[in-house]
């Protein structure tokens, strides 16, 4: 079952704004397990800013209930006078702790079949959760119920605040807005922003640790409350209501919520614990996937022809750091052949904008066009009923960033290893050659431009060959709608590898030259980050950060960067000569050679005076008065040569091929562990991560023991072309 390429005009228009999806800055920085409270507060503000304009409403609570929570057959017993008085006591409390007991005492009986747990003093223990602790978590009353905040099991998060000043939203006349508004209605105060960021962080954690389409939450401030429904498009927010005077609304919400089947509470029914596997089958699957004994396994149902195909694997290992956007997640899986687990495969899912092709369709076209060095597609498509609904309340012809997104899931019959796990620099260069070959052949044969070339999207197979993956941002160059999308999108890709031109000019058209440059950055970033060098660690960290993480917010609120990349290209010093290797390798010379044409792209174009001088010299050469080599050092010639080489990938492919024939490649100079801490996230998240690293260093130097760390790691890879490429001409590197 593949994705359909049909959408309404409104959906297609909003899909054109898919650039509102945050640019990926995948984090590879270990996080300390005891971040100080000030950093947690800053992250709340950051999340509030990132999600501005993604909240839709306000919707009357009764309408909210009818639209999102079907009424069960039973009805709750109304609150007694005593219960109302107790609830009033909670609403009049001057602090959060004073609210907890009375609030829970009155309302927990309406959450039938669920455990109403006070988690206000019991934060989540995972280091990446910043010690988050909703005031109450509702858990299914099955088995051992957590006593602390556990986002892997929380069905509902409730946050209490002592006064209306904490309200993150403001209401307006619903009659004028007809039940919804396209105007941002977030309250823009410090305290309101922190509350909004706080409740957003809870939703993000639920999506990260569970398999969900959507989630609900409640936020209370003083004697008022709001209901929220979250999905990857944003959140629908109810109007503020007095939950004492209108206690039936909150009671009805809890009653309906607790009686909903799991799918109506937001759970993805196509992912579930692998209960049908026998103990023997489960253990064999863990062995195939190189998992520890006892690791929980899940059954993932993936669209296949007219039904599903089941695959088995662990929970997605790496958290998504934002509520909105594609939220790509990957995990190794296996399937059953008879009753025995088969070979390992690679499962990926992401939220695609309606009106934009799914990655399955791209892979099918690449295969049809016989593009080499791409991962074989096993199956995939849009997950039924896996669509967002927040966009439904957007007025027609609106410029809102809230889009209709569809969950797209696929499995590749290939896993391989990350590009950064190269055994030697020759294997690194060879893998990039193959990826660039796939990319170029896709451009020529299939008329597809990848647009997200990064270290994460190139993988190495067991024979040391490069494989290009992750085509979700690709466009079909001959499709008018895709071309319009390309022109209207903001930048796409992974920040460290995006071309300097795109980083310096937000909204600039993404073209072939940008992807070619990204391949150069893949090699440069990997060399500077992974290869042993006599350069001091602090100096090296600064070099990598300034070259690849450089950014600032311009006057219009858009993120810019790339200036440092452009300077090094313009000067012909990329990667910087100051960086050397402990063990000599042709890799740095290769990268500098590949970078040389970009002097033409980022340097000053020849002046009219230069052009006239060159024309005169050219005439003298034609008349035989001067040798042709005189022209080769002239700026006009150098500019034409560079721009000519940038018009296709042919020259770059031939340069890598020639370099691989060099006999001086070391046999074992692979980068075992990353030598430089790489900071990821959006601009503000990256700054906070840097601050966190400094805090870690201070704590580490003052501590006698090591700090616990949670590590994140990269994804997969794609490929490129060369019609005359001989895959066996670059030597026999094999992976043992």
């Amino acid at each position: 079952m593949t994705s359909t390429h049909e959408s309404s005009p409104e959906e297609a228009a909003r899909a054109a704004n898919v650039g509102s999806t945050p640019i990926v800055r995948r984090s590879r920085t270990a996080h300390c397990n005891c971040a100080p409270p000030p950093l947690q507060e800053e992250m709340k503000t950051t999340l509030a800013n990132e999600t501005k304009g993604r909240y839709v409403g306000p919707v009357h609570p009764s309408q909210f209930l009818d639209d999102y929570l079907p009424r069960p057959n039973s009805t709750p017993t109304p609150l007694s006078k005593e219960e109302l008085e107790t609830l009033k006591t909670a609403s009049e409390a001057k602090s959060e702790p004073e609210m907890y007991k009375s609030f829970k005492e009155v309302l927990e009986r309406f959450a039938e079949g669920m455990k109403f747990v006070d988690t206000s003093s019991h934060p989540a223990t995972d280091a990446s959760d910043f010690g988050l602790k909703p005031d109450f978590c509702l858990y299914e009353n099955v088995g051992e119920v957590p006593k602390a905040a556990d986002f892997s099991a929380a069905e509902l998060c409730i946050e209490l605040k002592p006064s209306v000043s904490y309200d993150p939203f403001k209401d307006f006349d619903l009659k004028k807005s007809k039940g919804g508004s396209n105007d941002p209605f977030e309250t823009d105060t410090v305290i309101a922003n922190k509350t909004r960021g706080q409740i957003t962080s809870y939703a993000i954690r639920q999506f990260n640790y569970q398999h969900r389409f959507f989630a609900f939450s409640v936020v209370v401030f003083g004697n008022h409350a709001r209901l929220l429904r979250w999905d990857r498009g944003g959140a629908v927010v109810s109007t503020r209501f007095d939950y004492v005077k209108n206690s039936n609304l909150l009671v009805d919400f809890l009653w309906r919520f607790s009686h909903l089947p799991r799918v109506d509470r937001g759970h993805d029914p196509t992912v579930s614990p692998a209960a049908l596997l026998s103990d023997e089958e489960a253990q064999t699957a863990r062995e195939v996937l190189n998992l520890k004994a006892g690791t929980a396994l899940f059954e993932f149902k993936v669209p296949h022809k007219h039904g599903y195909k089941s695959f088995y694997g662990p929970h997605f290992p790496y958290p998504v750091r934002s509520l909105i956007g594609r939220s790509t997640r990957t995990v190794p899986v296996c399937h059953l052949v008879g009753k025995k687990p088969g070979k390992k495969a690679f499962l990926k899912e992401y939220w695609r904008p309606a009106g934009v092709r799914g990655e399955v369709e791209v892979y099918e076209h690449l295969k049809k066009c016989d593009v080499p060095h791409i991962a074989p597609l096993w199956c995939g498509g849009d997950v039924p009923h896996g669509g967002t609904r927040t966009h439904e309340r957007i007025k027609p012809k609106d410029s809102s960033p809230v889009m209709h997104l569809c969950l797209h899931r696929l499995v590749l019959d290939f896993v391989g290893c990350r590009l950064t796990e190269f055994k030697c620099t020759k294997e690194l260069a060879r893998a990039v050659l193959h990826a660039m070959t796939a990319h170029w052949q896709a451009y020529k044969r299939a008329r597809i431009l990848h647009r997200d070339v990064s270290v994460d999207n190139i993988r190495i197979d067991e024979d040391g060959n490069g494989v290009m993956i992750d085509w979700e941002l690709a466009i079909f160059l001959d499709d008018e709608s895709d071309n319009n999308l390309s022109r209207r999108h903001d930048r796409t890709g992974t920040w460290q590898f995006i071309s300097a031109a795109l980083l310096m000019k937000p909204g600039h058209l993404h073209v072939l030259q940008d992807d070619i440059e990204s391949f150069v950055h893949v090699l440069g970033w990997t060399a500077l980050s992974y290869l042993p060098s006599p350069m001091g660690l602090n100096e090296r960290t600064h070099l990598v950060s300034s070259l690849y993480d450089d950014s600032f917010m311009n006057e219009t609120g858009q993120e810019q960067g790339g200036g440092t990349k452009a300077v090094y290209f313009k000067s012909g010093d990329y990667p910087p000569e100051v960086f050397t290797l402990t063990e000599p390798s042709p890799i740095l010379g290769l990268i500098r050679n590949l970078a040389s044409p970009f002097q033409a792209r980022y340097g000053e174009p020849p002046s009219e005076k230069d052009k006239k001088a060159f024309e005169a010299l050219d005439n003298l050469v034609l008349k035989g008065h001067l040798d042709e080599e005189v022209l080769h050092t002239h700026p006009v010639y150098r500019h034409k040569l560079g721009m000519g080489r940038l018009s296709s990938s042919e020259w770059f492919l031939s340069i890598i091929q020639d370099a691989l024939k060099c006999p001086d490649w070391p046999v074992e100079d692979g980068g075992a562990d990353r030598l430089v801490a790489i900071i990821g996230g959006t601009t503000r998240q990256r700054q906070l991560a840097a601050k966190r690293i400094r805090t870690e260093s201070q704590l580490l130097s003052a501590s006698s023991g090591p700090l616990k760390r949670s590590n994140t790691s990269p994804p997969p890879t794609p490929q490129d072309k060369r019609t005359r490429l001989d895959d066996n001409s670059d030597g026999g590197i094999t992976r043992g």
Side-chain angles (χ1 to χ4, degrees):
M1 180 188 300
T2 60
S3 61
T4 57
H5 188 52
E6 298 179 1
S7 64
S8 67
E10 290 81 5
E11 288 176 342
R14 274 194 285 276
N17 289 323
V18 69
S20 56
T21 298
I23 290 175
V24 179
R25 293 166 178 274
R26 296 183 175 101
S27 173
R28 295 168 180 67
T29 304
H31 283 175
C32 171
N33 70 332
C34 50
L39 188 57
Q40 179 183 345
E41 296 304 305
E42 289 183 63
M43 185 57 76
K44 293 176 185 177
T45 303
T46 299
L47 289 174
N49 290 332
E50 288 180 3
T51 52
K52 277 186 176 178
R54 305 286 183 154
Y55 304 92
V56 177
V59 180
H60 192 281
S62 296
Q63 188 69 51
F64 184 100
L65 291 171
D66 290 342
D67 286 353
Y68 303 122
L69 293 93
R71 189 185 300 275
N73 294 326
S74 59
T75 56
T77 305
L79 291 178
S80 66
K81 290 183 178 179
E82 292 77 11
E83 287 175 320
L84 279 172
E85 282 301 316
T86 303
L87 194 59
K88 185 177 180 182
T89 300
S91 71
E92 294 174 347
K94 301 302 181 184
S95 67
E96 286 185 43
E98 293 176 31
M99 301 174 72
Y100 299 150
K101 183 179 179 181
S102 300
F103 190 87
K104 178 184 177 183
E105 181 182 324
V106 173
L107 296 173
E108 66 177 336
R109 73 178 177 91
F110 298 102
E112 275 201 343
M114 293 194 170
K115 197 72 174 177
F116 206 116
V117 181
D118 180 349
T119 54
S120 61
S121 300
H122 306 283
T125 56
D126 192 296
S128 65
D129 283 333
F130 288 89
L132 293 175
K133 46 184 175 62
D135 292 322
F136 294 101
C137 285
L138 266 64
Y139 301 110
E140 290 183 327
N141 197 7
V142 178
E144 186 176 350
V145 177
K147 296 180 180 179
D150 183 352
F151 291 103
S152 69
E155 291 295 320
L156 180 75
C157 294
I158 301 176
E159 184 64 26
L160 274 57
K161 299 296 181 186
S163 76
V164 176
S165 63
Y166 288 87
D167 188 355
F169 306 101
K170 54 191 175 186
D171 291 340
F172 41 78
D173 192 339
L174 284 178
K175 293 181 180 179
K176 292 182 179 180
S177 65
K178 296 182 180 179
S181 174
N182 300 334
D183 301 319
F185 65 110
E186 299 103 81
T187 302
D188 193 16
T189 64
V190 172
I191 195 170
N193 281 330
K194 287 185 177 179
T195 302
R196 192 164 58 254
Q198 184 176 8
I199 59 176
T200 301
S201 69
Y202 299 159
I204 292 173
R205 266 45 180 204
Q206 280 186 279
F207 286 136
N208 277 343
Y209 293 114
Q210 302 180 39
H211 302 278
R212 282 185 169 273
F213 294 152
F214 58 90
F216 292 97
S217 69
V218 179
V219 58
V220 173
F221 19 80
N223 62 336
H224 286 78
R226 290 186 189 273
L227 311 175
L228 295 97
R229 182 191 183 278
W230 307 84
D231 60 32
R232 286 299 183 183
V236 176
V237 185
S238 79
T239 51
R240 187 169 72 197
F241 61 93
D242 188 322
Y243 64 88
V244 178
K245 292 181 179 179
N246 299 290
S247 59
N248 61 301
L249 292 173
L250 190 53
V251 165
D252 200 15
F253 171 80
L254 292 172
W255 185 261
R256 292 190 190 199
F257 181 84
S258 63
H259 285 79
L260 291 175
R262 286 175 58 84
V263 67
D264 288 338
R265 294 202 302 269
H267 290 278
D268 179 355
T270 63
V271 182
S272 59
L276 296 180
L277 292 182
S278 67
D279 291 343
E280 183 180 353
E281 290 169 341
Q283 186 52 37
T284 304
R286 293 186 188 100
E287 292 171 0
V288 170
L289 299 173
N290 300 318
L291 300 174
K292 293 181 180 179
T295 300
L297 293 177
F298 293 84
E299 178 185 7
F300 297 85
K301 293 181 179 178
V302 183
H304 178 62
K305 296 182 179 178
H306 301 294
Y308 292 102
K309 190 171 185 64
S310 291
F311 295 84
Y312 299 89
H315 180 72
F316 292 109
Y318 311 122
V320 176
R321 298 177 181 276
S322 182
L323 171 71
I324 55 178
R326 286 181 165 84
S327 307
T328 302
R329 303 199 291 182
T330 60
V331 68
V333 294
C334 64
H335 74 298
L336 292 182
V337 179
K339 290 191 175 182
K340 295 183 179 180
K343 65 177 181 177
K344 190 188 300 185
F346 189 84
L347 183 145
K348 169 184 175 179
E349 68 175 36
Y350 71 97
W351 291 84
R352 71 171 184 87
V356 174
R357 285 182 178 84
E359 191 170 1
V360 167
E361 187 175 344
V362 179
Y363 269 111
E364 289 173 342
H365 188 64
L366 291 172
K367 180 181 179 181
K368 180 180 178 182
C369 295
D370 199 25
V371 174
H373 300 300
I374 62 169
L377 174 69
W378 194 322
C379 60
D382 289 345
V383 176
H385 312 296
T388 58
R389 294 189 60 189
T390 302
H391 69 284
E392 294 174 354
R393 294 193 174 275
I394 298 297
K395 289 181 179 179
K397 300 179 181 179
D398 179 32
S399 59
S400 168
V402 177
M403 294 180 293
H404 180 193
L405 303 175
C406 306
L407 183 60
H408 194 71
R409 184 179 295 153
L410 62 149
V411 172
L412 302 177
D413 193 11
F414 165 81
V415 177
C417 66
R418 304 180 199 124
L419 180 67
T420 52
E421 295 178 280
F422 56 93
K423 286 187 174 182
C424 58
T425 49
K426 184 174 185 181
E427 184 175 75
L428 169 63
R430 182 186 182 188
V432 171
L433 169 67
H434 293 160
M436 202 172 198
T437 300
H439 180 277
W440 178 235
Q441 291 287 8
Y443 186 86
K444 285 188 67 178
R445 297 182 187 178
R447 299 295 293 153
I448 287 176
L449 183 63
H450 189 280
R451 301 199 313 157
D452 188 18
V453 174
S454 75
V455 73
D456 291 340
N457 297 339
I458 302 173
R459 292 187 80 82
I460 303 175
D461 69 16
E462 60 185 8
D463 297 318
N465 299 310
V467 179
M468 192 88 196
I469 65 165
D470 211 353
W471 296 81
E472 67 184 72
L473 295 178
I475 59 168
F476 284 59
L477 296 167
D478 295 332
D479 188 305
E480 188 64 31
S481 61
D482 274 15
N483 269 302
N484 290 335
L485 280 177
S486 176
R487 293 177 186 279
R488 295 171 62 181
H489 279 190
D490 288 339
R491 292 163 302 213
T492 57
T494 306
W495 186 269
Q496 288 84 358
F497 312 101
I498 297 175
S499 73
L502 292 176
L503 294 180
M504 292 190 294
K505 296 180 179 179
H508 197 270
L509 180 64
H510 194 129
V511 295
L512 175 65
Q513 288 89 335
D514 297 304
D515 275 8
I516 294 175
E517 183 179 328
S518 292
F519 280 109
V520 178
H521 293 315
V522 164
L523 285 169
W525 180 91
T526 305
L528 267 63
S529 299
Y530 281 83
L531 297 179
S533 167
M535 178 180 282
L537 182 60
N538 289 340
E539 182 183 2
R540 187 173 180 179
T541 301
H542 175 74
L543 175 62
V544 172
S545 181
S546 62
L547 184 53
Y548 297 105
D549 296 323
D550 167 45
S551 70
F552 66 93
M553 297 299 270
N554 64 19
E555 295 79 5
T556 61
Q558 292 177 299
E559 190 172 8
Q560 281 186 237
T564 307
K565 289 178 179 175
V567 167
Y568 278 111
F569 275 138
K570 182 178 179 180
S571 65
D573 189 27
Y574 183 102
E577 290 281 358
V578 67
F579 179 77
T580 58
L581 299 178
T582 301
E583 183 173 4
S585 166
I587 192 69
L588 292 185
L590 170 61
I591 299 171
R592 292 188 181 108
N593 201 356
L594 294 172
S596 60
F598 292 95
Q599 280 185 285
R601 192 181 197 194
Y602 295 107
E604 292 295 329
S607 64
E608 288 301 318
K609 183 179 179 181
D610 289 334
K611 292 178 181 178
K612 289 180 180 179
F614 180 77
E615 188 177 342
L617 286 174
D618 194 33
N619 286 332
L620 291 174
V621 169
L622 290 173
K623 293 176 181 179
H625 299 316
L626 290 175
D627 192 271
E628 186 176 354
E629 291 185 0
V630 173
L631 301 176
H632 295 177
T633 57
H634 196 278
V636 172
Y637 179 89
R638 300 297 301 172
H639 185 267
K640 285 184 177 180
L641 181 65
M643 295 306 292
R645 288 172 175 173
L646 289 173
S647 64
S648 81
S649 300
E650 294 286 358
W651 179 83
F652 294 89
L653 292 168
S654 65
I655 289 299
I656 302 176
Q657 281 183 296
D658 291 343
L660 287 170
K661 297 174 183 176
C662 174
D664 300 330
W665 291 92
V667 177
E668 293 183 357
D669 61 337
D673 296 318
R674 185 174 56 251
L675 301 176
V676 178
I678 302 301
I679 302 171
T682 60
T683 306
R684 185 59 184 146
Q685 287 182 356
R686 198 181 70 257
Q687 292 168 352
L688 292 178
K691 184 175 181 180
R692 190 168 195 151
I693 291 173
R694 290 195 295 272
T695 303
E696 278 192 39
S697 300
Q698 293 166 0
L699 290 171
L700 194 57
S701 62
S703 171
S704 58
L707 297 172
K708 293 181 180 179
R709 297 169 182 268
S710 65
N711 298 313
T712 42
S713 33
T717 354
Q719 306 174 311
D720 242 331
K721 95 118 200 160
R722 183 145 198 221
T723 49
R724 53 192 177 85
L725 174 64
D726 178 1
D727 284 340
N728 298 314
S729 65
D730 48 11
I733 303 172
T734 57
R735 303 187 68 81

